[in-house]
Amino acid sequence: MAGTSQACLHEYRPSFCVSMINSIQLQVNGEAAQCAPQTLLPDYLQQRGMNPRLVAVEYNGEILHRQFWEETYLQEGDCLEIVTIVGGGRL
């Protein structure tokens, strides 16, 4: 990718590259992460390979009720805690 100003660690798979200029920084489960600006929460969960129906999300310190997910756009500095719901039986 000579002659571009975009940072890309996966030049052989450009669809997985995120431009440092066109991304926002998040904290997800205590680790740094990034995504495109104006990404809806359910879309971000799917991008991470998660089934949105099987997770609970704490958004900036508050449990975010599922009814608000479709109107929640991730923003620079957001802090997410994502917990996968696991069914089980007796031990």
Side-chain angles (χ1 to χ4, degrees):
M1 290 180 34
T4 66
S5 62
Q6 296 181 353
C8 181
L9 298 177
H10 304 283
E11 289 186 32
Y12 62 96
R13 296 174 70 181
S15 63
F16 289 95
C17 298
V18 176
S19 166
M20 295 302 288
I21 296 169
N22 295 321
S23 66
I24 59 172
Q25 301 299 311
L26 312 169
Q27 185 173 359
V28 179
N29 293 345
E31 296 183 8
Q34 55 184 236
C35 71
Q38 298 300 307
T39 299
L40 280 169
L41 178 58
D43 295 338
Y44 182 72
L45 296 172
Q46 289 180 333
Q47 290 169 12
R48 291 182 58 103
M50 298 177 174
N51 182 340
R53 295 181 315 141
L54 301 176
V55 299
V57 177
E58 181 183 282
Y59 179 74
N60 295 328
E62 300 286 333
I63 298 296
L64 186 63
H65 293 277
R66 197 172 306 275
Q67 70 192 50
F68 300 115
W69 287 14
E70 288 294 333
E71 59 192 56
T72 300
Y73 289 92
L74 299 179
Q75 299 179 38
E76 180 74 31
D78 280 348
C79 197
L80 304 174
E81 291 293 328
I82 304 169
V83 180
T84 303
I85 299 169
V86 179
R90 292 184 276 184
L91 294 176

